[in-house]
Amino acid sequence: MADLELPDPFDAVAFVRLLAVRRGRPIELIPVTARPTLPCGLLITTDRADCIVYLADTTPLHQQHILLHEAAHLLCGHHENAEARLGAAQALLPSLSGALVTRVLGRTVYAEPQEQEAELVASLILHRVQRQDAWPPVTPSQLSWTDSVFGLSDAPPRRHV
């Protein structure tokens, strides 16, 4: 996490673009309207690209968290061994051929370890962004309990531009 490049100023879409460059593989962002029985975000892996499906009709803060959660699945390698959930993918994107989809991760149940890990990574990214944007800068005595729990350095985070 400490070496993860974050855009400055932070923007979730710009972060996903940086992640695509880092991975050497395109990540397509696909906004959709909410459907009550489907997840608010999906990571769909195809042979040519990764696709993050997210709600277009929710708050910007919620959209940011969805994008970071799905990107966290990529960072954690969850896409490499995920079972396909074609039903959700086909309901959201009926024009997407099931044969093209190799893996789908849906954000519906947080009891699954991969979902918990993705939530944690998304939250840690946002925590780092909040620390780097803090003014005045955070001093070692002001470090939060999450910093001590996760062993984050007392040194201020490096800012990547």
Side-chain angles (χ1 to χ4, degrees):
M1 286 297 300
D3 293 333
L4 191 59
E5 184 177 0
L6 300 177
D8 186 12
F10 185 78
D11 175 82
V13 172
F15 172 74
V16 170
R17 281 192 210 116
L18 286 173
L19 180 59
V21 170
R22 175 182 173 178
R23 297 180 68 239
R25 184 174 159 83
I27 301 173
E28 296 179 22
L29 300 179
I30 304 170
V32 297
T33 56
R35 301 198 181 144
T37 60
L38 297 175
C40 57
L42 280 175
L43 172 63
I44 302 171
T45 302
T46 69
D47 288 339
R48 67 172 192 82
D50 299 311
C51 305
I52 295 177
V53 179
Y54 68 98
L55 293 180
D57 53 352
T58 190
T59 66
L61 183 61
H62 190 209
Q63 285 180 1
Q64 173 181 259
H65 193 79
I66 295 167
L67 292 174
L68 291 178
H69 175 98
E70 302 309 331
H73 280 299
L74 292 170
L75 288 166
C76 296
H78 297 162
H79 61 291
E80 295 167 3
N81 59 5
E83 292 182 16
R85 294 183 184 139
L86 293 178
Q90 289 172 340
L92 284 169
L93 304 165
S95 62
L96 187 63
S97 162
L100 291 176
V101 176
T102 57
R103 288 174 272 312
V104 179
L105 288 170
R107 183 178 182 204
T108 55
V109 180
Y110 294 100
E112 297 176 23
Q114 288 185 345
E115 292 302 315
Q116 292 173 353
E117 186 176 31
E119 270 305 288
L120 178 60
V121 169
S123 296
L124 288 172
I125 291 169
L126 287 174
H127 179 72
R128 214 177 114 200
V129 168
Q130 289 169 347
R131 283 190 58 212
Q132 88 179 14
D133 291 342
W135 188 259
V138 177
T139 63
S141 63
Q142 295 171 316
L143 292 176
S144 72
W145 69 271
T146 54
D147 294 327
S148 62
V149 168
F150 294 105
L152 299 177
S153 167
D154 288 349
R158 291 180 297 206
R159 296 182 91 160
H160 298 279
V161 180

